[in-house]
Amino acid sequence: MNQHSELFHSINQTSRHYSKLLNEKLVPLGLYAAQWSIIFLLKRDGALSQKEISLYLGVEAPTMTRTLIRMEKSGWINRATGNDKREKMIQLTAASDNEYPKWINAVREAEEATLENVNEEEINGFLNTMKKLKNNLE
C-alpha cells in the first residue's frame, strides 16, 4: 500500500475512533458527536442558515434536517425563518447555553485523551496540513 493511501485510511480510522470516544462522553449528557459539531459551530460563529451549516460540515440537506429536528425537540436549537421563507436560521437556545459547560468539559476530556503524547508543534503542523487538504477539497 502506498503512503498516500495509508495517510487517508489513517485519517478516516482516527476520525471514526475519535467520534466513538466523543459519543461515549457526550451521550450520557444527551448529545451525540454529530450534534456537538453543530453546537460547536453555532457557539463559535453565532446563528447560521441550515444551508451554511450543511456546507460547512459536508452533510446532505436531508440528513441535516433530521439532525436539526432532533436537536430542536431536545431544546438545544431554535429554527426560524430567515430573510427568504425557504431559508432556516439556526441558533442555540438558553438550554444549550446552560448545558454547554458540561459538554465542553466532556469534549476536552476526549481531546486530552486523544492528544496524549502529542506536542504543540506536532498539533500546529497537523493543523496546517489539514487546512491544505481541506482547501484542495473545496
Side-chain angles (χ1 to χ4, degrees):
M1 185 174 294
N2 74 29
Q3 209 170 10
H4 294 175
S5 295
E6 189 66 36
L7 170 69
F8 288 104
H9 177 74
S10 181
I11 289 170
N12 188 48
Q13 288 307 110
T14 302
S15 176
R16 287 177 183 265
H17 286 284
Y18 180 71
S19 290
K20 183 178 181 233
L21 174 62
L22 200 53
N23 274 329
E24 289 170 4
K25 300 283 186 184
L26 289 172
V27 166
L29 302 175
L31 198 68
Y32 289 93
Q35 295 170 326
W36 167 251
S37 296
I38 295 167
I39 300 258
F40 175 85
L41 182 60
L42 293 172
K43 190 74 168 172
R44 187 187 74 186
D45 295 354
L48 295 168
S49 72
Q50 184 169 328
K51 184 176 181 179
E52 289 171 317
I53 296 169
S54 291
L55 288 172
Y56 178 83
L57 295 176
V59 175
E60 297 294 324
T63 302
M64 181 58 61
T65 298
R66 286 190 300 273
T67 301
L68 293 173
I69 288 170
R70 281 193 296 272
M71 292 177 74
E72 190 172 34
K73 286 180 181 174
S74 295
W76 307 141
I77 61 154
N78 284 324
R79 295 186 320 148
T81 303
N83 296 333
D84 177 339
K85 283 185 179 181
R86 295 169 294 175
E87 181 180 60
K88 296 290 184 200
M89 293 301 293
I90 315 300
Q91 61 188 24
L92 296 175
T93 63
S96 64
D97 286 339
N98 289 338
E99 293 298 315
Y100 186 83
K102 294 177 197 170
W103 296 333
I104 193 67
N105 284 337
V107 169
R108 288 199 177 123
E109 285 178 20
E111 290 171 350
E112 287 173 19
T114 304
L115 290 172
E116 189 175 339
N117 302 316
V118 179
N119 66 42
E120 291 300 314
E121 184 178 332
E122 291 168 318
I123 292 169
N124 289 332
F126 187 67
L127 280 172
N128 287 332
T129 301
M130 293 303 288
K131 285 177 188 172
K132 289 178 185 179
L133 294 175
K134 186 173 183 259
N135 286 338
N136 290 339
L137 294 170
E138 294 177 346

